[in-house]
Structure formats: structure tokens, C-alpha cells
Amino acid sequence: MTVIAWSEAFSVGNPLLDSDHRILFDLLIQLFDATDTGQSRDVIGSVLSALSEYTEHHFRREEAMLAATGFPEIEPHKAEHRRLEGQVRDIVSRYQAGERGALDEQVVELLKKWLTQHIQVTDKSYRPWVERVVDGGVNPPSVA
């Protein structure tokens, strides 16, 4: 499987959200490693559950920040989050039910593609809003 790595190209201009995204990258890499090295179902299931839980945690944090900044495209953004959450929950359920192929290479590549494209396209669209968030508060736009 193709490994992914965090780089500044994925930065959305907010240290907290960038940190969340790094954690999601790390969890996906752990999932790659666990499946590639033939780890036990328990190990893979644990990593998959952590990825699912952290994804939802991150989405709530991101959505709260976007709401606080007045990001105008928040509803379509949230809808995209709900779609991914549904996909990940489906993968977890299928894996836990013992379905072969629930975590095959195509599924893991789909997660990788979604994560990278979501950050580089959808999340980058909110950059001007979240760059203004400092220490939990929103600073007004700078006047030039």
C-alpha cells in the first residue's frame, strides 16, 4: 500500500486543526502498517476504532471552530463530514462482523484519498477563517 506523510502542503493555517490532521495521518499510517504486516484482528480493529473515534472528535472540533468564525459554507462541509463518518462506521461494522475485504487495500486507499483530498480542497477553503482563531478566540480580520 502507498504510505502517506504529513507535509506543510496539508496545513490549513490553524495549529490545532493541523495537529488533528497529523494525528489522522498517523492513525491511517498505523492502519497501513497493521494490515501490511498481518497484525491480529484485535490490533487492526483497535487501530480502526481509534481512527473512527478520532475522526469524529476532529470533525466536531473543526465544525465548532468554523461556526465560531462564521464560515459561510459550514453546512455543506458538515454534510461531507457526515458522509465520511458513515463510510468509516460501515467499514468498522463490516470488519467487526468478520467480512473479508472490509479492510482490503482498496478500502484503505479510499480512506487515504478521502483524507488527503478533503484536507487539500474542502478544508483549505476555510483557511482564511481559521487563521484568525488564536487561543480559542476569533480575532477580527486585519485591516490593511
Side-chain angles (χ1 to χ4, degrees):
M1 283 183 218
T2 307
V3 178
I4 60 172
W6 170 266
S7 73
E8 283 304 311
F10 291 105
S11 176
V12 296
N14 179 275
L16 183 59
L17 296 180
D18 284 345
S19 176
D20 278 359
H21 289 154
R22 283 186 189 97
I23 291 168
L24 290 170
F25 270 71
D26 289 345
L27 287 167
L28 195 53
I29 290 166
Q30 287 178 37
L31 186 59
F32 285 153
D33 290 345
T35 56
D36 274 353
T37 59
Q39 296 294 311
S40 71
R41 283 192 58 77
D42 288 343
V43 170
I44 293 171
S46 176
V47 174
L48 188 56
S49 291
L51 177 63
S52 177
E53 290 170 17
Y54 200 82
T55 297
E56 291 187 21
H57 166 76
H58 163 67
F59 285 167
R60 297 311 167 271
R61 181 193 328 257
E62 186 177 273
E63 291 165 6
M65 193 176 294
L66 294 179
T69 66
F71 180 62
E73 297 297 317
I74 191 169
E75 291 309 316
H77 199 94
K78 287 167 70 173
E80 191 169 324
H81 285 170
R82 298 300 90 72
R83 279 190 300 277
L84 177 67
E85 288 171 357
Q87 287 178 311
V88 172
R89 277 194 300 271
D90 180 57
I91 292 166
V92 170
S93 294
R94 289 174 34 220
Y95 186 79
Q96 289 173 341
E99 182 181 320
R100 291 181 186 264
L103 257 186
D104 64 15
E105 188 170 337
Q106 288 178 325
V107 171
V108 179
E109 284 292 322
L110 171 77
L111 292 174
K112 178 187 110 174
K113 182 178 178 183
W114 190 93
L115 177 64
T116 57
Q117 287 184 346
H118 179 77
I119 292 170
Q120 290 182 316
V121 177
T122 307
D123 285 357
K124 290 269 184 139
S125 70
Y126 65 56
R127 185 179 184 125
W129 282 266
V130 299
E131 284 178 326
R132 299 183 296 131
V133 177
V134 178
D135 296 328
V138 179
N139 290 338
S142 59
V143 178

